[in-house]
Amino acid sequence: MSVDLATVKRVARLARIAVSEEEAERMTGELNGILGFVEQLSEVNVDGVEPMTSVTPMEMKKRDDIVADGDKAADIVANAPNSDRDFFLVPKVVE
């Protein structure tokens, strides 16, 4: 896959980026180089290779998945004008 000058200008317009003619020509070469590198990567055989989150083996930090109320109800309603048993009291509106 290669990118031509019209494609670069169209993408720049869609991204709302002002690109001069010289910049568009330079970007065409740069984008074609990047796409060529990506095409080279797609040729690499990765059968049997485990996905990695890091290049060095490490154990992911995990926390226990515990359901809790957060013990913050009193702090949350502390600044409320009216509250009752950790609930906000609001005026009743009937139209």
Side-chain angles (χ1 to χ4, degrees):
M1 178 180 178
S2 65
V3 177
D4 60 352
L5 188 61
T7 304
V8 170
K9 288 181 179 180
R10 182 169 184 263
V11 170
R13 184 179 60 81
L14 290 172
R16 308 260 195 265
I17 299 172
V19 177
S20 68
E21 191 71 29
E22 298 83 30
E23 290 174 327
E25 290 176 10
R26 182 178 48 82
M27 285 181 180
T28 302
E30 291 176 359
L31 288 173
N32 282 325
I34 292 168
L35 291 174
F37 180 71
V38 171
E39 286 178 4
Q40 282 182 339
L41 289 176
S42 68
E43 296 173 4
V44 176
N45 182 11
V46 292
D47 292 338
V49 177
E50 293 283 327
M52 300 185 315
T53 58
S54 175
V55 293
T56 57
M58 64 176 68
E59 188 69 26
M60 295 289 290
K61 295 180 182 176
K62 299 176 187 171
R63 62 175 172 80
D64 293 332
D65 190 14
I66 299 171
V67 178
D69 65 354
D71 295 327
K72 297 278 185 199
D75 295 336
I76 293 170
V77 297
N79 292 328
N82 296 320
S83 64
D84 182 28
R85 293 177 304 184
D86 297 331
F87 290 99
F88 294 102
L89 293 178
V90 295
K92 189 174 191 177
V93 177
V94 179
E95 294 181 11

Coordinates of all heavy atoms in Angstrom, one line a residue:
M1 N 0.8 -1.2 0.0 CA 0.0 0.0 0.0 C 0.9 1.2 0.0 O 1.9 1.3 0.7 CB -0.9 0.0 1.3 CG -1.8 1.2 1.4 SD -2.8 1.1 2.9 CE -3.6 2.6 2.8
S2 N 0.5 2.2 -0.8 CA 1.3 3.4 -0.8 C 0.3 4.6 -0.8 O -0.9 4.5 -1.1 CB 2.1 3.5 -2.1 OG 1.3 3.6 -3.2
V3 N 0.8 5.7 -0.3 CA 0.0 6.9 -0.2 C 0.5 7.9 -1.2 O 1.7 8.1 -1.4 CB 0.2 7.5 1.3 CG1 -0.5 8.8 1.4 CG2 -0.2 6.5 2.3
D4 N -0.5 8.5 -1.9 CA -0.2 9.6 -2.8 C -0.4 11.0 -2.3 O -1.0 11.1 -1.2 CB -0.9 9.4 -4.2 CG -2.4 9.4 -4.0 OD1 -2.9 9.4 -2.8 OD2 -3.1 9.4 -5.0
L5 N -0.1 12.0 -3.0 CA -0.2 13.4 -2.6 C -1.7 13.7 -2.3 O -2.0 14.4 -1.3 CB 0.4 14.3 -3.6 CG 0.5 15.8 -3.2 CD1 1.4 15.9 -2.0 CD2 1.0 16.6 -4.4
A6 N -2.6 13.2 -3.1 CA -4.0 13.5 -2.9 C -4.5 12.9 -1.6 O -5.3 13.6 -0.9 CB -4.8 13.0 -4.1
T7 N -4.1 11.7 -1.3 CA -4.5 11.1 0.0 C -4.0 11.9 1.2 O -4.7 12.1 2.2 CB -4.0 9.6 0.0 OG1 -4.5 9.0 -1.1 CG2 -4.5 8.9 1.3
V8 N -2.7 12.3 1.1 CA -2.2 13.1 2.2 C -3.0 14.4 2.4 O -3.3 14.8 3.6 CB -0.7 13.4 2.0 CG1 -0.2 14.4 3.0 CG2 0.1 12.1 2.0
K9 N -3.3 15.1 1.4 CA -4.1 16.3 1.5 C -5.5 16.0 2.0 O -6.0 16.8 2.8 CB -4.1 17.0 0.1 CG -2.8 17.6 -0.3 CD -3.0 18.3 -1.7 CE -1.7 18.9 -2.1 NZ -1.8 19.6 -3.4
R10 N -6.1 14.9 1.6 CA -7.4 14.6 2.0 C -7.4 14.3 3.5 O -8.3 14.8 4.3 CB -8.0 13.4 1.3 CG -9.4 13.1 1.7 CD -10.0 12.0 0.7 NE -11.4 11.8 1.0 CZ -11.8 10.7 1.8 NH1 -10.9 9.9 2.2 NH2 -13.0 10.6 2.1
V11 N -6.4 13.5 4.0 CA -6.3 13.2 5.4 C -6.1 14.5 6.2 O -6.7 14.6 7.3 CB -5.3 12.1 5.7 CG1 -5.0 12.0 7.1 CG2 -5.7 10.8 5.0
A12 N -5.2 15.3 5.7 CA -5.0 16.6 6.4 C -6.2 17.4 6.5 O -6.5 18.0 7.6 CB -3.9 17.4 5.7
R13 N -7.0 17.5 5.5 CA -8.3 18.2 5.5 C -9.2 17.6 6.5 O -9.9 18.3 7.3 CB -8.9 18.3 4.1 CG -10.1 19.1 4.0 CD -10.7 19.2 2.6 NE -11.1 17.9 2.1 CZ -12.3 17.2 2.5 NH1 -13.1 17.8 3.3 NH2 -12.5 16.1 2.0
L14 N -9.4 16.3 6.5 CA -10.3 15.6 7.4 C -9.8 15.9 8.9 O -10.7 16.0 9.8 CB -10.3 14.1 7.2 CG -11.0 13.7 5.9 CD1 -10.8 12.3 5.6 CD2 -12.5 14.1 5.9
A15 N -8.5 15.9 9.1 CA -8.0 16.2 10.5 C -7.9 17.7 10.8 O -7.5 18.0 11.9 CB -6.6 15.6 10.6
R16 N -8.3 18.5 9.9 CA -8.3 19.9 10.1 C -6.9 20.5 10.4 O -6.7 21.3 11.3 CB -9.3 20.4 11.2 CG -10.7 19.8 11.0 CD -11.6 20.9 10.4 NE -13.0 20.6 10.6 CZ -13.8 20.0 9.7 NH1 -13.2 19.5 8.6 NH2 -15.1 19.7 9.9
I17 N -6.0 20.0 9.6 CA -4.6 20.4 9.7 C -4.2 21.1 8.5 O -4.3 20.6 7.3 CB -3.6 19.2 9.9 CG1 -4.0 18.4 11.2 CG2 -2.2 19.6 10.0 CD1 -3.3 17.1 11.4
A18 N -3.7 22.3 8.6 CA -3.2 23.1 7.5 C -1.8 22.5 7.0 O -0.9 22.5 7.8 CB -3.1 24.6 7.8
V19 N -1.8 22.1 5.8 CA -0.5 21.5 5.3 C -0.2 22.2 3.9 O -1.0 22.3 3.0 CB -0.7 20.0 5.0 CG1 0.5 19.4 4.4 CG2 -1.0 19.3 6.3
S20 N 1.0 22.7 3.9 CA 1.5 23.4 2.6 C 1.8 22.3 1.6 O 1.9 21.1 1.9 CB 2.7 24.3 2.9 OG 3.8 23.5 3.2
E21 N 2.0 22.7 0.4 CA 2.4 21.8 -0.7 C 3.7 21.1 -0.4 O 3.8 19.8 -0.6 CB 2.5 22.5 -2.1 CG 2.6 21.7 -3.3 CD 1.3 21.0 -3.6 OE1 0.2 21.5 -3.3 OE2 1.3 19.9 -4.1
E22 N 4.7 21.8 0.1 CA 6.0 21.2 0.4 C 5.8 20.2 1.5 O 6.4 19.1 1.5 CB 7.0 22.2 0.7 CG 7.3 23.2 -0.4 CD 6.3 24.4 -0.4 OE1 5.8 24.7 0.6 OE2 6.1 24.8 -1.5
E23 N 5.1 20.5 2.5 CA 4.9 19.6 3.7 C 4.1 18.4 3.2 O 4.4 17.2 3.7 CB 4.1 20.3 4.8 CG 4.9 21.4 5.5 CD 4.0 22.2 6.5 OE1 2.8 22.3 6.2 OE2 4.5 22.6 7.5
A24 N 3.2 18.5 2.4 CA 2.4 17.4 1.9 C 3.3 16.4 1.1 O 3.2 15.2 1.2 CB 1.2 17.8 1.0
E25 N 4.2 16.9 0.3 CA 5.1 16.1 -0.5 C 6.1 15.4 0.5 O 6.4 14.2 0.3 CB 5.9 16.9 -1.5 CG 5.0 17.4 -2.6 CD 5.8 18.4 -3.6 OE1 7.0 18.5 -3.4 OE2 5.1 19.0 -4.4
R26 N 6.6 16.1 1.5 CA 7.5 15.4 2.5 C 6.7 14.3 3.2 O 7.2 13.3 3.5 CB 8.0 16.5 3.4 CG 9.0 16.0 4.4 CD 9.6 17.1 5.3 NE 8.6 18.0 5.9 CZ 7.9 17.7 7.0 NH1 8.0 16.6 7.6 NH2 7.0 18.6 7.4
M27 N 5.5 14.6 3.6 CA 4.7 13.7 4.4 C 4.4 12.4 3.6 O 4.3 11.3 4.1 CB 3.4 14.3 4.9 CG 3.5 15.2 6.0 SD 1.9 15.9 6.5 CE 2.4 16.9 7.8
T28 N 4.2 12.6 2.3 CA 3.9 11.5 1.4 C 5.1 10.5 1.5 O 4.9 9.3 1.7 CB 3.8 11.9 -0.1 OG1 2.7 12.9 -0.1 CG2 3.5 10.8 -1.0
G29 N 6.3 10.9 1.4 CA 7.5 10.1 1.5 C 7.6 9.4 2.9 O 7.9 8.2 3.0
E30 N 7.3 10.2 3.9 CA 7.4 9.7 5.3 C 6.3 8.6 5.6 O 6.6 7.6 6.1 CB 7.3 10.8 6.3 CG 8.5 11.8 6.3 CD 8.2 13.0 7.3 OE1 7.2 13.0 7.9 OE2 9.2 13.8 7.4
L31 N 5.1 8.9 5.1 CA 4.0 7.9 5.4 C 4.3 6.7 4.6 O 4.0 5.6 5.1 CB 2.7 8.6 5.0 CG 2.2 9.6 6.0 CD1 0.9 10.3 5.4 CD2 1.9 9.0 7.3
N32 N 4.8 6.8 3.4 CA 5.1 5.6 2.6 C 6.2 4.8 3.2 O 6.2 3.5 3.2 CB 5.5 5.9 1.1 CG 4.3 6.3 0.3 OD1 3.2 5.7 0.5 ND2 4.4 7.2 -0.6
G33 N 7.2 5.4 3.9 CA 8.2 4.7 4.6 C 7.6 4.0 5.8 O 8.0 2.8 6.1
I34 N 6.8 4.6 6.5 CA 6.1 4.0 7.7 C 5.3 2.8 7.3 O 5.4 1.7 7.9 CB 5.3 5.0 8.5 CG1 6.2 6.1 9.1 CG2 4.4 4.4 9.5 CD1 5.4 7.3 9.6
L35 N 4.5 3.0 6.2 CA 3.7 1.9 5.7 C 4.5 0.7 5.2 O 4.1 -0.5 5.4 CB 2.7 2.3 4.7 CG 1.6 3.3 5.2 CD1 0.8 3.8 4.0 CD2 0.7 2.6 6.2
G36 N 5.6 1.0 4.6 CA 6.5 0.0 4.2 C 7.1 -0.8 5.3 O 7.2 -2.1 5.3
F37 N 7.4 -0.1 6.4 CA 7.9 -0.8 7.6 C 6.8 -1.7 8.2 O 7.1 -2.8 8.6 CB 8.4 0.2 8.6 CG 8.9 -0.4 9.9 CD1 10.1 -1.1 9.9 CD2 8.2 -0.3 11.1 CE1 10.6 -1.7 11.1 CE2 8.7 -0.9 12.2 CZ 9.9 -1.6 12.2
V38 N 5.6 -1.2 8.3 CA 4.5 -2.0 8.8 C 4.3 -3.3 7.9 O 4.0 -4.4 8.4 CB 3.2 -1.2 8.9 CG1 2.0 -2.0 9.2 CG2 3.4 -0.1 10.0
E39 N 4.4 -3.1 6.6 CA 4.3 -4.3 5.7 C 5.4 -5.3 6.0 O 5.1 -6.5 5.9 CB 4.3 -3.8 4.3 CG 3.0 -3.2 3.8 CD 3.0 -2.7 2.4 OE1 4.0 -2.9 1.7 OE2 2.0 -2.1 2.0
Q40 N 6.6 -4.8 6.3 CA 7.7 -5.8 6.7 C 7.3 -6.5 7.9 O 7.6 -7.7 8.1 CB 9.0 -5.0 6.9 CG 9.7 -4.6 5.6 CD 11.0 -3.9 5.9 OE1 11.2 -3.4 7.0 NE2 11.9 -3.9 4.9
L41 N 6.7 -5.8 8.9 CA 6.4 -6.5 10.2 C 5.3 -7.5 10.0 O 5.3 -8.6 10.7 CB 5.9 -5.4 11.2 CG 6.9 -4.5 11.8 CD1 6.2 -3.5 12.7 CD2 8.0 -5.3 12.5
S42 N 4.4 -7.3 9.0 CA 3.4 -8.3 8.8 C 3.9 -9.6 8.2 O 3.2 -10.6 8.2 CB 2.3 -7.7 7.9 OG 2.8 -7.5 6.6
E43 N 5.1 -9.6 7.7 CA 5.7 -10.8 7.1 C 6.4 -11.7 8.2 O 6.7 -12.8 7.9 CB 6.8 -10.4 6.1 CG 6.2 -9.7 4.9 CD 7.3 -9.2 3.9 OE1 8.5 -9.5 4.2 OE2 6.9 -8.5 3.0
V44 N 6.5 -11.2 9.4 CA 7.2 -12.0 10.4 C 6.2 -13.1 10.9 O 5.1 -12.8 11.2 CB 7.6 -11.0 11.6 CG1 8.1 -11.8 12.8 CG2 8.5 -10.0 11.2
N45 N 6.8 -14.3 11.1 CA 6.0 -15.4 11.6 C 5.9 -15.3 13.1 O 6.9 -15.4 13.8 CB 6.6 -16.7 11.2 CG 5.8 -17.9 11.6 OD1 4.7 -17.8 12.0 ND2 6.4 -19.1 11.5
V46 N 4.7 -15.1 13.6 CA 4.5 -15.0 15.1 C 3.7 -16.2 15.6 O 3.1 -16.1 16.7 CB 3.8 -13.7 15.4 CG1 4.8 -12.5 15.1 CG2 2.5 -13.5 14.7
D47 N 3.6 -17.3 14.9 CA 2.9 -18.5 15.4 C 3.5 -19.0 16.7 O 4.7 -19.1 16.8 CB 2.9 -19.6 14.3 CG 2.1 -19.2 13.1 OD1 1.2 -18.3 13.2 OD2 2.3 -19.8 12.0
G48 N 2.7 -19.2 17.7 CA 3.2 -19.7 19.0 C 3.8 -18.7 19.9 O 4.3 -19.0 20.9
V49 N 3.8 -17.4 19.5 CA 4.4 -16.3 20.3 C 3.3 -15.8 21.2 O 2.2 -15.3 20.7 CB 5.0 -15.2 19.5 CG1 5.5 -14.1 20.4 CG2 6.1 -15.8 18.6
E50 N 3.5 -15.8 22.5 CA 2.5 -15.3 23.4 C 2.5 -13.8 23.4 O 3.5 -13.1 23.3 CB 2.8 -15.7 24.9 CG 2.7 -17.2 25.1 CD 1.3 -17.7 25.2 OE1 0.5 -16.9 25.8 OE2 1.0 -18.8 24.8
P51 N 1.3 -13.1 23.5 CA 1.2 -11.7 23.6 C 1.9 -11.2 24.9 O 1.8 -11.9 25.9 CB -0.3 -11.4 23.6 CG -0.9 -12.6 23.1 CD 0.0 -13.7 23.4
M52 N 2.6 -10.1 24.8 CA 3.3 -9.6 26.0 C 2.8 -8.2 26.4 O 2.4 -7.4 25.5 CB 4.8 -9.4 25.7 CG 5.5 -10.7 25.3 SD 7.3 -10.6 25.0 CE 7.5 -9.1 24.1
T53 N 2.9 -7.9 27.7 CA 2.6 -6.5 28.1 C 3.9 -5.8 28.4 O 3.9 -4.6 28.6 CB 1.8 -6.6 29.4 OG1 2.5 -7.3 30.4 CG2 0.4 -7.2 29.2
S54 N 5.0 -6.5 28.4 CA 6.3 -5.8 28.6 C 7.4 -6.7 28.0 O 7.2 -7.9 27.8 CB 6.5 -5.7 30.2 OG 7.8 -5.2 30.4
V55 N 8.5 -6.2 27.8 CA 9.6 -6.9 27.2 C 10.4 -7.7 28.3 O 11.1 -8.7 28.0 CB 10.6 -6.1 26.4 CG1 10.0 -5.5 25.2 CG2 11.2 -5.0 27.3
T56 N 10.2 -7.3 29.5 CA 10.7 -8.1 30.6 C 9.6 -8.8 31.4 O 8.6 -8.3 31.6 CB 11.5 -7.2 31.6 OG1 10.6 -6.2 32.1 CG2 12.7 -6.5 31.0
P57 N 9.8 -10.1 31.7 CA 8.8 -10.8 32.4 C 8.5 -10.2 33.8 O 9.5 -10.0 34.6 CB 9.3 -12.3 32.5 CG 10.8 -12.2 32.2 CD 11.0 -10.9 31.5
M58 N 7.3 -10.0 34.1 CA 6.9 -9.4 35.4 C 5.5 -9.8 35.7 O 4.7 -10.1 34.8 CB 7.1 -7.9 35.4 CG 6.1 -7.2 34.5 SD 6.2 -5.4 34.7 CE 7.8 -5.0 34.1
E59 N 5.2 -9.9 36.9 CA 3.8 -10.2 37.4 C 3.0 -9.0 37.5 O 3.5 -8.0 38.0 CB 3.9 -10.9 38.8 CG 2.6 -11.5 39.2 CD 2.1 -12.7 38.4 OE1 3.0 -13.4 37.9 OE2 0.9 -12.9 38.4
M60 N 1.8 -9.0 36.9 CA 0.9 -7.8 36.9 C 0.4 -7.6 38.4 O 0.1 -8.6 39.1 CB -0.3 -8.0 36.0 CG 0.1 -8.1 34.6 SD 0.6 -6.6 33.9 CE -0.9 -5.7 33.9
K61 N 0.4 -6.4 38.8 CA -0.1 -6.1 40.1 C -1.6 -6.1 40.1 O -2.2 -5.5 39.2 CB 0.4 -4.7 40.6 CG 1.8 -4.6 40.8 CD 2.2 -3.2 41.2 CE 3.7 -3.1 41.3 NZ 4.2 -1.7 41.7
K62 N -2.2 -6.9 41.0 CA -3.6 -7.1 41.0 C -4.1 -6.8 42.4 O -3.5 -7.1 43.4 CB -4.0 -8.5 40.5 CG -3.6 -8.8 39.1 CD -3.9 -10.2 38.8 CE -3.3 -10.6 37.4 NZ -3.4 -12.0 37.1
R63 N -5.3 -6.3 42.5 CA -6.0 -6.1 43.8 C -7.1 -7.1 43.9 O -7.6 -7.5 42.9 CB -6.4 -4.7 44.0 CG -7.5 -4.3 43.0 CD -8.0 -2.9 43.3 NE -8.9 -2.4 42.3 CZ -10.2 -2.7 42.1 NH1 -10.7 -3.5 43.0 NH2 -10.9 -2.2 41.2
D64 N -7.5 -7.4 45.1 CA -8.6 -8.3 45.3 C -9.9 -7.6 44.8 O -10.1 -6.4 45.1 CB -8.7 -8.6 46.8 CG -7.6 -9.5 47.2 OD1 -7.0 -10.2 46.4 OD2 -7.2 -9.4 48.4
D65 N -10.7 -8.3 44.2 CA -12.0 -7.7 43.7 C -13.1 -7.9 44.8 O -13.7 -8.9 44.9 CB -12.4 -8.4 42.4 CG -13.6 -7.7 41.7 OD1 -13.9 -6.6 42.1 OD2 -14.2 -8.3 40.8
I66 N -13.2 -6.9 45.7 CA -14.0 -7.0 46.8 C -15.1 -5.9 46.6 O -14.8 -4.8 46.4 CB -13.3 -6.8 48.1 CG1 -12.2 -7.8 48.3 CG2 -14.2 -6.7 49.3 CD1 -11.3 -7.5 49.4
V67 N -16.4 -6.4 46.8 CA -17.5 -5.4 46.7 C -17.6 -4.7 48.1 O -17.7 -5.4 49.1 CB -18.8 -6.1 46.3 CG1 -20.0 -5.2 46.3 CG2 -18.6 -6.8 45.0
A68 N -17.6 -3.4 48.1 CA -17.8 -2.7 49.3 C -18.6 -1.4 49.0 O -18.6 -0.9 47.9 CB -16.4 -2.3 49.9
D69 N -19.1 -0.8 50.1 CA -19.9 0.4 49.9 C -19.0 1.6 49.9 O -19.4 2.7 49.6 CB -20.9 0.6 51.0 CG -20.4 0.7 52.4 OD1 -19.1 0.6 52.5 OD2 -21.1 1.0 53.3
G70 N -17.7 1.5 50.2 CA -16.7 2.5 50.2 C -16.6 3.3 51.5 O -15.6 4.0 51.7
D71 N -17.5 3.1 52.4 CA -17.4 3.8 53.7 C -17.3 5.3 53.5 O -16.6 5.9 54.3 CB -16.3 3.2 54.6 CG -16.6 1.7 54.9 OD1 -17.8 1.4 55.1 OD2 -15.6 1.0 55.1
K72 N -17.9 5.9 52.6 CA -17.7 7.3 52.3 C -19.1 8.0 52.3 O -19.2 9.2 52.0 CB -17.1 7.5 50.9 CG -15.7 7.0 50.8 CD -14.7 8.0 51.4 CE -13.3 7.4 51.1 NZ -12.4 8.0 52.0
A73 N -20.2 7.3 52.7 CA -21.5 7.9 52.6 C -21.6 9.2 53.5 O -22.1 10.2 53.1 CB -22.6 6.9 53.0
A74 N -21.0 9.1 54.7 CA -21.1 10.3 55.6 C -20.3 11.5 55.0 O -20.7 12.6 55.1 CB -20.6 9.9 57.0
D75 N -19.2 11.2 54.4 CA -18.4 12.3 53.8 C -19.1 12.9 52.6 O -19.0 14.1 52.3 CB -17.0 11.7 53.3 CG -16.1 11.3 54.5 OD1 -16.4 11.7 55.6 OD2 -15.3 10.4 54.3
I76 N -19.8 12.0 51.8 CA -20.5 12.5 50.6 C -21.6 13.5 51.0 O -21.8 14.5 50.3 CB -21.0 11.3 49.8 CG1 -19.8 10.6 49.2 CG2 -21.9 11.8 48.7 CD1 -20.1 9.3 48.6
V77 N -22.4 13.1 52.0 CA -23.6 14.0 52.3 C -23.2 15.1 53.3 O -24.1 15.8 53.8 CB -24.7 13.1 52.8 CG1 -25.2 12.2 51.8 CG2 -24.4 12.4 54.1
A78 N -21.9 15.2 53.7 CA -21.5 16.2 54.7 C -21.9 17.6 54.3 O -22.2 18.4 55.2 CB -20.1 16.0 55.0
N79 N -21.7 17.9 53.0 CA -22.0 19.3 52.6 C -23.4 19.5 52.0 O -23.7 20.5 51.5 CB -21.0 19.7 51.5 CG -19.6 19.8 52.1 OD1 -19.4 20.2 53.2 ND2 -18.6 19.5 51.3
A80 N -24.2 18.5 52.1 CA -25.6 18.6 51.6 C -26.4 19.5 52.5 O -26.3 19.4 53.8 CB -26.2 17.2 51.5
P81 N -27.3 20.3 52.0 CA -28.1 21.1 52.9 C -29.0 20.3 53.8 O -29.2 20.6 54.9 CB -29.0 22.0 51.9 CG -28.5 21.7 50.5 CD -27.5 20.5 50.6
N82 N -29.6 19.2 53.2 CA -30.5 18.3 54.0 C -30.1 16.9 53.7 O -30.0 16.5 52.5 CB -31.9 18.6 53.7 CG -32.4 19.9 54.0 OD1 -32.0 20.4 55.1 ND2 -33.2 20.6 53.2
S83 N -30.0 16.1 54.7 CA -29.7 14.7 54.5 C -30.4 13.9 55.6 O -30.6 14.4 56.7 CB -28.2 14.4 54.4 OG -27.6 14.7 55.7
D84 N -30.6 12.6 55.4 CA -31.2 11.7 56.4 C -30.7 10.3 56.1 O -30.8 9.8 55.0 CB -32.7 11.7 56.2 CG -33.4 10.9 57.3 OD1 -32.8 10.7 58.4 OD2 -34.5 10.3 57.0
R85 N -30.0 9.8 57.1 CA -29.4 8.4 57.1 C -28.6 8.2 55.8 O -28.8 7.3 55.0 CB -30.5 7.4 57.2 CG -31.2 7.3 58.5 CD -32.3 6.3 58.5 NE -33.2 6.7 57.4 CZ -34.3 6.1 57.2 NH1 -34.7 5.1 57.9 NH2 -35.1 6.5 56.2
D86 N -27.7 9.1 55.5 CA -26.8 9.1 54.4 C -27.5 9.2 53.0 O -26.9 8.7 52.0 CB -25.9 7.8 54.4 CG -25.0 7.8 55.7 OD1 -24.6 8.9 56.2 OD2 -24.7 6.7 56.2
F87 N -28.6 9.8 53.0 CA -29.3 10.0 51.7 C -29.5 11.5 51.6 O -29.7 12.2 52.6 CB -30.7 9.3 51.7 CG -30.6 7.9 51.6 CD1 -30.7 7.1 52.7 CD2 -30.4 7.2 50.4 CE1 -30.7 5.7 52.7 CE2 -30.3 5.9 50.3 CZ -30.4 5.1 51.4
F88 N -29.5 12.1 50.4 CA -29.8 13.4 50.1 C -31.3 13.7 50.2 O -32.1 12.9 49.7 CB -29.3 13.9 48.7 CG -27.9 13.8 48.5 CD1 -27.3 12.8 47.8 CD2 -27.1 14.9 49.0 CE1 -25.9 12.7 47.6 CE2 -25.7 14.8 48.8 CZ -25.1 13.8 48.1
L89 N -31.7 14.7 50.9 CA -33.1 15.1 50.9 C -33.3 16.3 49.9 O -32.5 17.3 50.0 CB -33.5 15.6 52.3 CG -33.6 14.4 53.4 CD1 -34.0 15.0 54.7 CD2 -34.5 13.4 52.9
V90 N -34.2 16.2 49.0 CA -34.4 17.2 48.0 C -35.9 17.6 48.1 O -36.7 16.8 48.5 CB -34.1 16.7 46.6 CG1 -32.6 16.5 46.5 CG2 -34.9 15.5 46.2
P91 N -36.2 18.9 47.8 CA -37.6 19.3 47.8 C -38.4 18.5 46.8 O -38.0 18.2 45.7 CB -37.5 20.8 47.5 CG -36.1 21.1 47.1 CD -35.3 19.9 47.4
K92 N -39.6 18.2 47.2 CA -40.5 17.5 46.3 C -41.1 18.5 45.3 O -41.6 19.6 45.6 CB -41.7 16.9 47.1 CG -42.6 16.0 46.4 CD -43.5 15.4 47.3 CE -44.3 14.2 46.6 NZ -45.2 13.5 47.5
V93 N -41.0 18.2 44.0 CA -41.5 19.1 43.0 C -42.7 18.4 42.3 O -42.5 17.3 41.7 CB -40.4 19.4 42.0 CG1 -40.9 20.2 40.8 CG2 -39.2 20.0 42.6
V94 N -43.8 19.0 42.3 CA -45.0 18.5 41.7 C -45.5 19.6 40.8 O -45.8 20.7 41.3 CB -46.1 18.0 42.7 CG1 -47.3 17.5 42.0 CG2 -45.5 17.0 43.6
E95 N -45.7 19.3 39.5 CA -46.2 20.4 38.6 C -47.6 20.1 38.2 O -48.1 19.0 38.2 CB -45.3 20.5 37.4 CG -43.9 21.0 37.8 CD -43.1 21.1 36.5 OE1 -43.5 21.0 35.4 OE2 -41.9 21.3 36.7

